[in-house]
Structures are given as structure tokens and as C-alpha cells.
Amino acid sequence: MSGTTSTTPATATTSQKTPRKAPSSREGNPAKAGWFARITLAVICFLWIVPVVGLFITSFRGETEANSTGWWTVFTNPGGFGFVGFDNYTQANATADLGNAFINSVAIALPATFIPLLVSAFASYAFTFMHFPGRDALFLIVVALLVIPNYVAFVPILDLYGSLGLSGTFPAVWLFHIGFGMSLAIYILRNYMGTLPLSVIESGRIDGASHFQTFWRLILPMSMPALASFAIFQFLWVWNDLFVALVFIGPGENSPMTVSIQNTLLSQQGAGWNLVTAGGFFSMIVPIIVFLSMQRFFVRGLTAGAVKG
Amino acid sequence: MWLKAINTILTVIVGIGVAVLLYWLLNKIAELLPSRLEDKIKPWLYILPAYLALVVYLIYPTIVAFIKSFQDATSTEWVGFANFEALLTNAGFQQTLFNTVLWMIIVPTVTIILGLGIAVLADRLQPRYENLSKTIVFMPMAISMVGAATVWRFVYAYRPAGSDQVGLQNAIITSLGGDPVPWLQQSQFHLNSLLLMVMLLWAQIGFGMVLLSGAIKGVPTDTLEAARIDGADERQTFFRVVVPQIKGTIVTVFITTLISAMKTFDVVYVMTSGQFNTNILGVEFYRQLTSNFNNGAASAIVVLLLIATFPVMLYQVKHFREEAAR
């Protein structure tokens, strides 16, 4: 029954959709953009965004104001805003060493995004375009591993890192995220590569290109939408991760922003609300920029891989 | 600080460079072989690093977890089923299990219902507003649960009656004349767990909505028109024509959210640390591992979770084989 979405290659569906969408959705729902849809969505969007607005406003309020009156009172009583400019940000930075934590987050997230991308792209190429015994069984194992929750690995890997002396280092988390990003990456990329026209690859092979060349010059560029969507997914996931960083790095010199904020600003002894909000907002800037600027690719690549299900 | 930044950039480049070099070397090694052997060996070289990662981080730990779940806290002696017995007969742990089950039922169900609802409604707006509203709902996905905690504290915050409320929910209640409520401590009917689920839903519904919306747009228009000509109203068209055609996507979204609900950790850890009867398996695992130093109990929790994921895993594999067979 899952007809169109699953049997036709999902990429084709998405690329056709863009030109087709405008007329079909308008024709399909004649004058249905009625007040009900508009008001409901407006309310939903309002509810969705209100908490973030509160955070943003509070991060610019003075300590006493932020801790004694609700952020919404600034609309009715602007005098009680207690605007302090970027003071909270500087102070949060000093308290939780957020500048350092920011660099750590970058140092953790970039390799933990790009290395699995490369590794899974090679594997997906082999799974899609090469023939070898046991190929389908090996791929099914990858699919099965998709559901394994990551804390399954904490106890054994802690032991392993302990004996290798890796605990607390960046490679410790890189490798962990490589392992746990791998099955999703192979799944998305193989699904996408399966939709690429075989003729292009074959003509490359006839011209005497090796697999290595075909991979770099043809398949990688053609798989960009899927690569981009996995990259964004993985980047957001690693940047926002608290659990893995907490276990394998912990608070200290190498801790990323999530751990620093949780440990110094959010924990029981608790800093003032003005600092918590400044730290919180600071940690969101990069993922939100990445998300907003790459949203298009994200959706396209994801529907390619996931709509299959 | 600058030194650290430069150092970081170098680390990043070296890390990624080593990965590229590895493949270049593997390929060179393969090319040194006679060409018939080369073709046979290359696929294995291409999947080797990926499989190595899967074996070390997923397969090997799963096996070790099973072994350690039958051993004592320091993994030195065999204790049979003692870890499981101790956990399953403990009233606190039973509550933890029950809470986890609640997360597994409520989060995916609400994601599907609200995700579908928002997708259908947004589809009826002009493209500009459609994109805007979808972006707003999708955006929290970019926010970490630590960030979300800083956001949602302002919604659930509690101050004793009489003082100014800084939390939105209590401000609304007191302005209506009620008494402020310490929301996250209200465990009757699992209200506080539900409030924590709201945070996860806030972050995740957008993901489901975007996938569902893509599927809804892929439904061929002629099937909709045929239904309308046959006299079906909007509701019938949706449930009898649209829903059956996007069933595949609904299942995908359900499973994806189910898995993420199963492994939830951050929300609960950051907001309540599992107190006030909000504990779930992920947080209990962390507590056993880092406060109780009980590897046996921690591994037993992992095994329970693996058993719960097993049907999902079987379904995924079966489903994928059906897809591939077409």
C-alpha cells in the first residue's frame, strides 16, 4: 500500500515534486486555506516559538530583573527590562569558560561528522555498485544495527578506552560517534546511491576509470544531497550530544558546550537565570545557523533515504 | 585561546586527513595485486573500516553487555540472574520501567498525530507561509536538550505563592487566581513525566512533520480527485485515501521516534535527574554506572533495553527485505 513513496526512487519523487507541487496542492485543496488552518497554525507556531523568545529576552536582562519578574513583563513594563547589553554573555563565558567549550564542540563535531561520512560513503559504494559474496547479508546486519541504543556500548568501551588511555580525549568521542553514526549513514547513502543511474557508472568503467576514480569523480558529487543531509544530521546530533560527552570526556579542559553548561550553569548550585539563558542561547547559535542555511538539503536527502521505509 | 583554536584546527585536519589517507593506502595496496585478485578484494577493503567501526562499537559491546549482565558489580564473579532479579523486584525500578514504557507509547503516537495534523494544515497555506510555519516547528530540532532545558525552565519554573512568578505556566495560573504549582514535582498521573515529554515532542515533532509532509505531497492528485468525485468529504479522503498511501512513512516516523524515546536521557537528566518519579532507563543506567559503580546492574538495564528493541529490529529487517524484493 505504501505505493508511490516507496517503490519509485525517492529522489525522483522529490525532484518531480518541486515543479508539480504548486499547482497540485492548490488545486487539490480549493480555497481550503480557510481561517481554521490559518488560526490553528498561527497558534501552534506561536506556542512553538514563545519559549525561545523568553530565553532570548532574558539573556539581555540584568540579574535582579531576570530573577524577580517574568520575561513577558518587559512588554507591559519596559522600565523593568534592566537591559545590560552583552554583559550576561561575557559573564557566562567567564563562569563556564564557554569560549573554550565552543572550540571543543567544534573540535569534536567536525571530525565526528566528516570521518563517518567518508567511511560510510566507501562502504555504501561497495554495497551498491560492487559484487561480492555475502553482500546482502552484511547490509541487512547494518539495517538491524540501526536500532541499537548508544549506551549499550558505554561499559565495554569505557574499559577499552581505559586500557588504551583514550579517556578524556577528542578521538575517544570521534570514534564513538563514528561507530554510532555508521549504520544510519550507510543506510541513507546506500538508499540514495541505489537511485543513481547505473549507465553513468558503467560508461565510466568502460572508459577505464578505476573504482577509486569512479567513486571520487562520479559517485561522491552525485550523492551530494544524501551526503549533505547525513552531514547535517550527524553534526546537529554530535554538537547537541550530552550523554556521550559526559561519559567519555566529562567536565574539564576538553568538555564541549553541552557538558559545560549543564555542569556550571544548570546544575544545582545554579547560576542566575540571566547567565543560564545567555549560555543556553550561545550554545544554540551554531546549530540554528547550520539548520536554517542547510534545511533544504536536509529535507531532500532525508526523504530520499527515509521515505523508503 | 588562539593557541587552542589553532591546535583544534590542526587536530581536525589531521583527524580527517588520516581517514582519507587510510583509503588511499588501502586502494594502493589493492592495486598492487594482480587485477583479478584486485577486483575480488576491493569491495572488502571498501567496507572494512565501516564494518570495523560497527563491530567495535555495536556488535562487540552488545555481546559484552550480555556477559556482564550475569556478573557482579565489578564483573569478577558470575551471579546468574541476580542482577535482573534485583532490578525487577525493586519497586523503584518497576516505576522506571513503567515510565519508559509511557515514553515509548506517548511520544511516537503524539508525534504522528500532531505531525500529520500540522503537515496537512500547512499544505493548505500559501507556499510562503507553509515554509515559514514548517521552519518554525522544525527548528527546535537544532537545539540541544541542554539548550531546551534553559528554554523550558521558564515555562515550568515555580516560585512560592505571593512572589512574582518567572515561569510562564505558573504566571498564567496565578493571574487566573490559582496557586502556583511546582510542576516538575507533580508525579500524580505522571504529570511531570508528561511535561518532560512535551519538551522532547517540541524538539522532535518537526522531524516527523517534514517527512510526513513530503509523503502527503507525493500522493498522486488523481486519487484525491477520484475520491472527491465519488462524493468523499475531506475527512474521508484523508483517512481512506491519503493515510493508506503514506502508511510506509507513518511507520518509519513511528519507529524513528520510538527508538529515540527508548534511549532518551538528556531531557530527564537535565531537568529532574530522575527525581520525583520521572526516572527512565537511560538515566537509571547512568546512575548505576557512575554513582553505584555497578557494571552488572548497568549491563542488565542495557540487556532489558536490547530485548525491547529486538522486535523493532526484526520488523526493520523484514520490512527492508520486502522493499528490496520489489
Side-chain angles (χ1 to χ4, degrees):
Chain A
M1 284 305 263
S2 47
T4 41
T5 39
S6 49
T7 40
T8 47
T11 31
T13 339
T14 24
S15 54
Q16 282 166 10
K17 218 168 51 204
T18 335
R20 213 186 55 188
K21 184 202 117 188
S24 85
S25 62
R26 303 246 57 80
E27 282 166 17
N29 301 295
K32 266 297 171 187
W35 55 270
F36 176 73
R38 286 186 202 178
I39 292 176
T40 317
L41 273 182
V43 170
I44 288 174
C45 289
F46 178 75
L47 288 178
W48 234 261
I49 214 158
V50 154
V52 185
V53 173
L55 178 83
F56 184 70
I57 291 177
T58 311
S59 72
F60 291 100
R61 298 183 76 196
E63 191 177 348
T64 23
E65 289 85 352
N67 288 300
S68 57
T69 55
W71 58 266
W72 53 89
T73 56
V74 305
F75 294 110
T76 49
N77 172 27
F81 193 110
F83 186 74
V84 291
F86 284 96
D87 277 10
N88 292 329
Y89 287 84
T90 5
Q91 211 185 324
N93 182 8
T95 317
D97 204 3
L98 288 184
N100 184 40
F102 181 87
I103 296 174
N104 290 335
S105 279
V106 174
I108 289 169
L110 288 183
T113 304
F114 288 107
I115 299 175
L117 203 60
L118 182 77
V119 174
S120 63
F122 267 103
S124 309
Y125 178 88
F127 279 127
T128 322
F129 301 112
M130 294 166 125
H131 297 278
F132 55 96
R135 182 178 81 164
D136 294 343
L138 284 172
F139 185 70
L140 275 183
I141 294 177
V142 174
V143 176
L145 293 177
L146 270 173
V147 299
I148 304 256
N150 62 10
Y151 52 90
V152 168
F154 284 0
V155 177
I157 298 298
L158 270 178
D159 287 351
L160 189 70
Y161 282 175
S163 52
L164 293 175
L166 265 178
S167 294
T169 65
F170 291 141
V173 257
W174 293 351
L175 290 167
F176 194 91
H177 286 301
I178 292 170
F180 275 89
M182 196 52 64
S183 48
L184 182 67
I186 295 178
Y187 185 69
I188 291 181
L189 289 178
R190 208 223 82 118
N191 278 348
Y192 194 90
M193 286 182 187
T195 67
L196 296 177
L198 260 177
S199 55
V200 181
I201 290 98
E202 274 158 7
S203 67
R205 297 287 293 158
I206 290 162
D207 292 345
S210 70
H211 275 300
F212 202 65
Q213 287 164 329
T214 320
F215 174 77
W216 280 111
R217 303 221 181 114
L218 282 174
I219 302 302
L220 268 196
M222 285 168 84
S223 306
M224 258 325 152
L227 291 171
S229 86
F230 174 75
I232 301 161
F233 202 79
Q234 178 81 353
F235 179 84
L236 292 179
W237 159 244
V238 175
W239 184 279
N240 290 337
D241 158 76
L242 171 70
F243 207 176
V244 177
L246 202 56
V247 170
F248 292 108
I249 289 190
E253 177 64 12
N254 283 342
S255 68
M257 292 187 91
T258 45
V259 175
S260 295
I261 291 175
Q262 145 69 23
N263 195 51
T264 28
L265 297 178
L266 272 178
S267 58
Q268 304 306 343
Q269 70 266 30
W273 288 64
N274 53 327
L275 297 190
V276 172
T277 51
F281 200 78
F282 185 50
S283 75
M284 292 174 198
I285 293 174
V286 169
I288 286 183
I289 290 175
V290 168
F291 176 80
L292 289 181
S293 56
M294 310 283 274
Q295 195 191 168
R296 191 161 311 227
F297 301 101
F298 189 45
V299 174
R300 209 194 310 166
L302 262 189
T303 39
V307 169
K308 265 208 89 125
Chain B
M1 178 98 159
W2 284 113
L3 194 70
K4 169 115 189 174
I6 293 164
N7 233 328
T8 304
I9 295 167
L10 281 178
T11 327
V12 168
I13 292 172
V14 168
I16 298 171
V18 165
V20 177
L21 197 70
L22 172 77
Y23 280 97
W24 187 81
L25 270 177
L26 282 177
N27 193 62
K28 274 282 164 245
I29 292 169
E31 277 172 3
L32 288 177
L33 298 165
S35 71
R36 273 188 55 208
L37 201 62
E38 182 191 333
D39 273 355
K40 278 211 168 126
I41 262 178
K42 246 185 193 169
W44 297 102
L45 290 182
Y46 279 15
I47 66 165
L48 181 73
Y51 246 88
L52 202 65
L54 289 174
V55 168
V56 172
Y57 283 91
L58 283 90
I59 297 173
Y60 158 77
T62 305
I63 297 167
V64 172
F66 269 96
I67 296 172
K68 290 199 170 182
S69 68
F70 296 107
Q71 293 176 333
D72 64 359
T74 50
S75 311
T76 41
E77 260 178 75
W78 295 94
V79 294
F81 283 91
N83 289 320
F84 294 95
E85 259 181 65
L87 284 173
L88 293 172
T89 52
N90 178 307
F93 187 78
Q94 287 168 1
Q95 274 302 325
T96 303
L97 264 186
F98 183 74
N99 286 335
T100 313
V101 172
L102 279 184
W103 280 77
M104 286 163 56
I105 296 171
I106 295 174
V107 172
T109 312
V110 176
T111 303
I112 298 287
I113 294 172
L114 277 183
L116 265 181
I118 296 172
V120 169
L121 289 179
D123 196 33
R124 299 178 172 186
L125 297 184
Q126 288 161 11
R128 224 173 96 203
Y129 294 110
E130 178 184 350
N131 285 336
L132 179 70
S133 48
K134 278 180 170 175
T135 303
I136 289 175
V137 175
F138 198 10
M139 198 191 58
M141 188 186 164
I143 298 174
S144 67
M145 273 302 146
V146 173
T150 64
V151 172
W152 282 83
R153 275 190 153 196
F154 280 95
V155 180
Y156 299 147
Y158 164 77
R159 293 282 163 90
S163 52
D164 269 341
Q165 295 296 327
V166 292
L168 202 53
Q169 253 174 225
N170 276 325
I172 294 172
I173 292 219
T174 46
S175 73
L176 294 174
D179 282 330
V181 181
W183 293 107
L184 293 178
Q185 299 173 22
Q186 303 304 303
S187 61
Q188 63 274 41
F189 304 112
H190 294 274
L191 177 67
N192 48 5
S193 290
L194 292 173
L195 292 173
L196 295 178
M197 288 179 210
V198 168
M199 290 176 59
L200 188 66
L201 286 166
W202 175 73
Q204 280 195 347
I205 282 178
F207 172 76
M209 181 269 298
V210 164
L211 289 187
L212 291 167
S213 169
I216 289 174
K217 285 179 191 298
V219 171
T221 339
D222 40 343
T223 61
L224 298 176
E225 275 156 15
R228 290 207 183 93
I229 290 167
D230 289 346
D233 61 27
E234 281 297 314
R235 233 176 51 137
Q236 287 170 325
T237 323
F238 181 71
F239 284 107
R240 306 246 177 99
V241 181
V242 178
V243 169
Q245 294 195 65
I246 60 168
K247 216 175 78 191
T249 311
I250 294 180
V251 173
T252 309
V253 173
F254 191 90
I255 289 185
T256 322
T257 5
L258 176 70
I259 296 169
S260 69
M262 273 177 166
K263 43 183 176 186
T264 308
F265 165 77
D266 323 29
V267 194
V268 176
Y269 178 71
V270 174
M271 294 298 283
T272 62
S273 313
Q275 287 171 291
F276 316 115
N277 196 13
T278 54
N279 210 2
I280 53 170
L281 281 187
V283 178
E284 180 60 20
F285 165 83
Y286 185 75
R287 203 179 64 82
Q288 293 287 1
L289 182 67
T290 59
S291 323
N292 285 10
F293 302 105
N294 189 339
N295 281 349
S299 301
I301 292 173
V302 164
V303 168
L304 290 176
L305 198 72
L306 282 171
I307 293 171
T309 51
F310 194 64
V312 184
M313 186 188 281
L314 280 185
Y315 177 85
Q316 288 270 68
V317 170
K318 186 176 146 268
H319 190 73
F320 186 82
R321 293 181 78 159
E322 284 166 9
E323 285 287 319
R326 270 191 222 164

